[in-house]
Amino acid sequence: MKPPRHWIPLFESMRHAGRAGLAADVIAGMVTSILLVPQGVAFALLAGLPPQAGLYAAVVGPIAYALFGSSRILSVGPVSVAAIMVAGALASTSLTSSQSVNATVLAIECAAIFFVLAALRLGWIVSLLSHPVLTGFTAGVAILIIFSQIPPLAGFSGPRELGGWQGYWAIIQGLSGLQWPTLLTGLTSMIALLALGAPFSRWLERRPLSPVVRILLGKSVPLAVIGLAIFWVYLFDWRQQVAQVGTIAAGLPHADFSFLQSADWLALLPAALAISLIGYVESVAIAKSLASRRREIILPNHELFALGAANAAAGVFGAMPVAGGFSRTMVNAAAGASTQLASVISALLVAAALVFLAPLFAYIPKTTLAAIIIVAVAPLVDWRQLKSIWRFDHGDGWVFLMTAAAVIFSGVETGLILGVAASIAMFLWRAQHTHIAEVGRVAGTEHFRNINRHTVETWPNARFFRIDESLTFANAGKVQDVLMQAVNDDKNVRHVVLLFGAVNHVDSTALEALETFAHDLGNAGITLHLTEVKGPVMDTLRHTAFISGLAPGKIFLHANEAVQALAGPGAA
C-alpha cells in the first residue's frame, strides 16, 4: 500500500508547506471561521432548517473535503445557492418525513451522485453548463434569495416556496403584517453591513496594520453587526416583537442514521441531482480560478470524490448539503491559506463555538441574519456581466436572461433545466447557421480570403467555398442548400471546390448530403472537389464510397494546387 500522503492530498500539501505555510493556515482558519459562523446559521435558516444544520455542515463538511480535495484553499460548507435549492425541495407538500431528516437525505443523495460520477470519471460534466447559463442561473437564484428574505427581514410569514407569481404575490400581501421593530432592526443591520463593508476595508487599508489584522478586522463585520443587533433589541426591549434564532443544542455534531427511515428518497432525487450539478460546477469553477493564480492543478474527478465525502459526512452528522463557497474561499486565500489545514482549523473553531457559545446564538435576531444573506448574495446579480456577454454575443445574452427569468418565475430546478435547454437550442441554431464564405486568392500569395472582405483573385470556371464548421446532422441540409443556391445561377462554373480546413468531423447524415450534392452538381455538368481535408476526416471518408463516387472530382492538398489544376493555364 502507498503511504497515505499519496492518496490523501492534505498530507502531501502539508509536507511541502513548511512551518511558515502551516502557521499561515492557522491564521487563515481563524479568519475564515469568523465568516463561517454567521453564514452557517443564516444559510440553515434560508434552507428552512434549524441553525445547527448549517453549523454542523460548517464543521464536518470542510474536514471531510480537506482530506481528499485537490484544491488547497477551496472553503467547503453551507452555501446560499444550495440552501435555496434545499428550501425549494423541502417545501414540497408530498414529503412525509421531517425537514431535518430530509435535508440529510439530500446530502446523502448528493454524496452518492458524486461518488457515481467519480467512479465513472465524469468530471467533464462541468462543461454541461455554459457560462451564460451559470451566470444567469446564479443571478436568478440571488434575486430569488433576496425576495425570500423579505418576510424575515420585515417580520411576517412568507410562502414556503418561491417561484411563480403566487409566491411573490404572497410576499406583497404579507407586507400588511410587517413588524416595524423587526424591519427597523433589519434595515439598520443592512446599513451597518454596507457601511462597515467595503468602506471600512478601504479605511483599514490606509492604516499602518499588518495584512492579517486588516483581513481579520474586515471580515469580523458580520459578527460585530450581530452583536450590535442583539444589543439594539435589548436596548429598546424588543425581545417580544423581534423574532430570534432560539435555542441551539450545544455540543458537537454526532452521527445520526435516522435518514435511513425516510420514505422520500425517490421524491428528493431530482432536487439532489440539481444541487449536485450546481454545487460541483461552482466548486470547480472557484477552485480553478484560484488554482491558476497559484500554479496549482485541480483534478475534476478527484473533486467529485472529495465533494462526495463532504456531503456524506454532512448527511451522517445531521447537516445540510455542502459545496465550495466563493466569499469564504476568497477570504481564505486573502488570509494566506496554503493548504486545507486552514479549513480544518476553521471547522474546529466552529465546533468550539458550538460547544461554548451556543447559548449566545439563541439571541441573534432573524432579521439581522436576513440582512446578512441579502448583502452577501446581492453582488451575485452582476448586470455588468450581462452587459459584457450581450456586447460579445446577443445569443448568449438571451440565454443569460432566459435562465435568470426561468429561475425567478419557475423555481430553481425548472430554471436550471430551461437554462440548459436554451443553451442547447442556441448551440443547435448556431450549428444550423454555419458560416460559409466564398473565397479567392490574395494576389501574389497562396492565401485565400472571403471575397466580400478582401480584394482577391477569382476564376469564372471555378468557385471556392470555405466551410467554417464541422458537418453534422444539424447543419448538413442547410449547407447543401446554401451551396446549391450559390452555384445554380452561374452558367460559367464548371468546378466547385470546398475548403475543409475548419471541418473536424463529418457524420453519416452530412456524408449523405455531400454525396447528394456531388450527384446534383454532376447532373448540372459541375464537378465537386475537396481541399485541405484534415487527416482524421480523410481517414473517415476513406472507409466510404464517397471518395470513388467523387470522380472525376479530386481531393487536393491545398487550395492553390486546386487553382493550378482547375483554373490555371491549360485547365479544363
Side-chain angles (χ1 to χ4, degrees):
M1 180 180 292
K2 294 180 180 179
R5 65 173 180 267
H6 289 293
W7 50 272
I8 297 183
L10 175 62
F11 297 159
E12 181 73 11
S13 59
M14 287 177 61
R15 187 169 69 90
H16 292 289
R19 290 185 178 181
L22 297 181
D25 284 339
V26 174
I27 296 173
M30 294 171 60
V31 173
T32 306
S33 67
I34 293 173
L35 191 62
L36 194 52
V37 170
Q39 283 190 349
V41 177
F43 293 155
L45 296 181
L46 174 60
L49 299 170
Q52 57 263 31
L55 292 171
Y56 290 171
V59 174
V60 298
I63 293 176
Y65 176 84
L67 293 174
F68 306 106
S70 62
S71 171
R72 295 187 177 187
I73 57 174
L74 181 67
S75 179
V76 170
V79 294
S80 59
V81 175
I84 195 68
M85 296 176 78
V86 169
L90 300 183
S92 173
T93 57
S94 63
L95 302 179
T96 58
S97 298
S98 68
Q99 289 189 326
S100 295
V101 169
N102 280 337
T104 61
V105 170
L106 282 171
I108 295 296
E109 287 184 332
C110 287
I113 292 167
F114 284 132
F115 287 143
V116 170
L117 293 177
L120 297 175
R121 304 187 65 80
L122 295 178
W124 55 265
I125 201 170
V126 68
S127 60
L128 282 180
L129 292 184
S130 65
H131 180 65
V133 170
L134 185 58
T135 52
F137 176 84
T138 303
V141 168
I143 293 172
L144 201 63
I145 290 173
I146 290 171
F147 273 99
S148 75
Q149 293 309 292
I150 292 177
L153 183 76
F156 63 89
S157 298
R160 291 185 62 190
E161 181 180 9
L162 277 180
W165 292 106
Q166 292 182 341
Y168 298 108
W169 179 243
I171 291 177
I172 294 172
Q173 289 180 313
L175 287 172
S176 60
L178 66 84
Q179 300 293 321
W180 285 107
T182 301
L183 180 60
L184 188 58
T185 302
L187 292 178
T188 303
S189 299
M190 192 179 300
I191 292 170
L193 287 166
L194 294 172
L196 296 176
F200 183 54
S201 296
R202 287 194 293 268
W203 181 82
L204 288 173
E205 288 293 332
R206 297 192 295 270
R207 306 278 77 78
L209 302 171
S210 69
V212 172
V213 173
R214 290 194 193 103
I215 296 172
L216 188 64
L217 291 175
K219 300 309 174 184
S220 299
V221 168
L223 282 180
V225 170
I226 287 175
L228 290 173
I230 294 174
F231 175 75
W232 170 284
V233 170
Y234 272 77
L235 179 66
F236 292 100
D237 194 22
W238 284 346
R239 285 170 292 178
Q240 300 302 318
Q241 294 97 322
V242 179
Q244 297 166 315
V245 169
T247 304
I248 297 177
L252 298 174
H254 58 278
D256 183 0
F257 295 91
S258 58
F259 59 81
L260 295 174
Q261 302 174 3
S262 174
D264 300 317
W265 287 77
L266 191 60
L268 291 170
L269 186 58
L273 283 167
I275 294 170
S276 301
L277 179 60
I278 291 299
Y280 173 65
V281 170
E282 288 201 321
S283 299
V284 171
I286 295 167
K288 282 188 172 182
S289 67
L290 290 175
S292 62
R293 304 178 193 177
R294 298 160 60 100
R295 297 187 178 182
E296 296 171 356
I297 297 175
I298 301 300
L299 306 174
N301 291 312
H302 217 108
E303 289 301 292
L304 285 170
F305 183 83
L307 289 171
N311 278 278
V316 170
F317 286 92
M320 59 191 290
V322 296
F326 179 76
S327 60
R328 290 194 308 271
T329 301
M330 298 304 293
V331 170
N332 201 32
S338 61
T339 75
Q340 278 293 332
L341 178 63
S343 291
V344 175
I345 296 296
S346 66
L348 293 177
L349 290 174
V350 174
L354 270 168
V355 174
F356 300 108
L357 301 178
L360 297 179
F361 296 157
Y363 302 108
I364 300 175
K366 290 185 177 180
T367 183
T368 299
L369 293 176
I372 289 174
I373 292 173
I374 291 173
V375 172
V377 304
L380 298 178
V381 187
D382 192 349
W383 297 116
R384 288 177 300 179
Q385 184 78 264
L386 171 60
K387 186 177 180 180
S388 175
I389 292 173
W390 185 268
R391 282 182 174 178
F392 180 74
D393 189 310
H394 284 8
D396 282 348
W398 280 115
V399 171
F400 179 109
L401 289 172
M402 287 187 287
T403 303
V407 170
I408 294 168
F409 298 111
S410 301
V412 178
E413 287 84 4
T414 304
L416 178 61
I417 293 171
L418 292 177
V420 173
S423 184
I424 294 173
M426 185 60 63
F427 171 79
L428 293 175
W429 184 88
R430 286 175 179 148
Q432 189 178 36
H433 292 76
T434 299
H435 182 256
I436 302 172
E438 183 171 0
V439 297
R441 185 173 61 186
V442 178
T445 74
E446 295 184 1
H447 299 293
F448 285 71
R449 294 294 183 266
N450 192 326
I451 65 172
N452 295 319
R453 294 176 179 267
H454 303 271
T455 302
V456 293
E457 297 177 286
T458 58
W459 305 270
N461 69 322
R463 297 180 68 176
F464 290 69
F465 296 93
R466 188 187 69 225
I467 300 174
D468 292 335
E469 184 61 78
S470 292
L471 294 175
T472 67
F473 70 94
N475 62 2
K478 186 74 173 181
V479 169
Q480 182 182 354
D481 292 342
V482 170
L483 291 173
M484 283 301 300
Q485 185 176 0
V487 300
N488 270 343
D489 298 330
D490 190 342
K491 304 303 182 183
N492 297 319
V493 65
R494 292 294 177 263
H495 302 281
V496 169
V497 182
L498 302 184
L499 281 68
F500 263 39
V503 176
N504 298 311
H505 174 68
V506 177
D507 69 9
S508 58
T509 305
L511 176 64
E512 183 178 355
L514 282 174
E515 291 173 338
T516 303
F517 180 53
H519 181 265
D520 291 344
L521 288 179
N523 290 338
I526 302 171
T527 305
L528 177 65
H529 308 270
L530 304 183
T531 185
E532 300 179 5
V533 182
K534 293 183 176 179
V537 176
M538 195 65 201
D539 292 340
T540 302
L541 295 178
R542 281 197 184 102
H543 297 294
T544 70
F546 175 73
I547 300 297
S548 59
L550 189 63
K554 298 178 180 179
I555 298 180
F556 296 98
L557 183 62
H558 52 78
N560 201 55
E561 180 184 333
V563 171
Q564 298 300 323
L566 305 176

